[in-house]
Amino acid sequence: EGMGVWTKEGMRAYGARSERQWKVFRQRGGGKESLTMGMLEYLRAMDHHDPAADPSPDWLVEYGLEEGDALVDSHARIVRRYFAELYEDKLGLSNYQFMVAPRQTGASPHFHYTSARLMVHGRARWFLWPVAHAFYSSRDIHTWYQTDYATLAGAARPLECVQGPGDLMYVPPLWGHGVLYLEDTAGMASLFRA
């Protein structure tokens, strides 16, 4: 199994044989609501999403996966190859986050401890700020990009890059970051306590 299961076709096959419910975020007007859906139900909604009518679509984020799960284990092998010391730190791993989302969703600017995110498929635009300029935004990422991004000047302007399939993104501790999915995406992140 491993990462190949999490292509759209693989997720459909998984959803057809699993009754597992996944956590789905709905972000509207500065508030965030948490729902649960089966994988097939979520993928159908994603397929019928119209970005012009709904610029802030629902996105799936699962925090409950643990080592022993094929997706977690394949992700952890890759992250350990580059950042083994993160797993050896006495504070260690906080959690794994599996994410599936349609384009125009993502994570509003925020910060936390160290993270490493592997993109399985799709592309994401990253916005990064050093610790001194990190901040939280209550707007969904699409609204933030449409309204706030152009107003940033000087040191408040983020560093930027685009993450594609197979790319591993490392975010240092307490660095601000926001992520705007440019395409339908699936990815996995490790969040660490240090």
Side-chain angles (χ1 to χ4, degrees), residues 13 51-52 62 125 174 185:
E62 179 59 57
R125 183 173 177 181
L174 303 177
T185 63

Side-chain angles (χ1 to χ4, degrees), residues 131-147:
V131 175
H133 299 285
F135 66 97
Y136 273 89
S137 174
S138 63
R139 297 179 192 262
D140 66 83
I141 188 67
H142 183 261
T143 302
W144 174 84
Y145 183 73
Q146 295 287 330
T147 59

Side-chain angles (χ1 to χ4, degrees), residues 6 11 14 18-27 32-43 46 57-65 95-102 105 181 185 187:
W6 304 106
M11 288 186 287
Y14 171 87
S18 172
E19 294 184 25
R20 180 181 181 152
Q21 295 292 296
W22 298 81
K23 183 180 282 190
V24 175
F25 286 122
R26 178 168 290 158
Q27 196 164 355
K32 193 182 287 185
E33 178 184 1
S34 182
L35 315 166
T36 57
M37 291 184 184
M39 184 62 76
L40 279 181
E41 178 185 7
Y42 178 76
L43 291 173
M46 197 170 158
D58 301 341
W59 50 297
L60 183 150
V61 178
E62 179 59 57
Y63 301 93
L65 300 175
N95 66 29
Y96 292 102
Q97 295 180 358
F98 172 61
M99 294 160 266
V100 180
T105 57
Y181 299 134
T185 63

Side-chain angles (χ1 to χ4, degrees), residues 22 61 72 81 85 89-90 98 107 115 121 146:
W22 298 81
V61 178
V72 167
R81 188 178 315 149
E85 67 279 1
D89 187 286
K90 63 183 174 185
F98 172 61
S115 66
H121 70 85
Q146 295 287 330

Side-chain angles (χ1 to χ4, degrees), residues 90-191:
K90 63 183 174 185
L91 295 175
L93 182 73
S94 173
N95 66 29
Y96 292 102
Q97 295 180 358
F98 172 61
M99 294 160 266
V100 180
R103 66 187 177 109
Q104 293 189 340
T105 57
S108 302
H110 65 287
F111 58 91
H112 47 68
Y113 290 112
T114 305
S115 66
R117 186 179 193 284
L118 180 65
M119 183 71 77
V120 178
H121 70 85
R123 292 181 318 121
R125 183 173 177 181
W126 283 76
F127 308 93
L128 298 146
W129 294 268
V131 175
H133 299 285
F135 66 97
Y136 273 89
S137 174
S138 63
R139 297 179 192 262
D140 66 83
I141 188 67
H142 183 261
T143 302
W144 174 84
Y145 183 73
Q146 295 287 330
T147 59
D148 298 356
Y149 176 76
T151 67
L152 300 175
R157 292 277 310 162
L159 301 170
E160 297 185 41
C161 66
V162 173
Q163 181 185 28
D167 290 344
L168 179 62
M169 182 70 177
Y170 171 80
V171 180
L174 303 177
W175 269 58
H177 56 285
V179 185
L180 177 62
Y181 299 134
L182 304 174
E183 301 170 356
D184 292 351
T185 63
M188 183 81 176
S190 298
L191 275 72

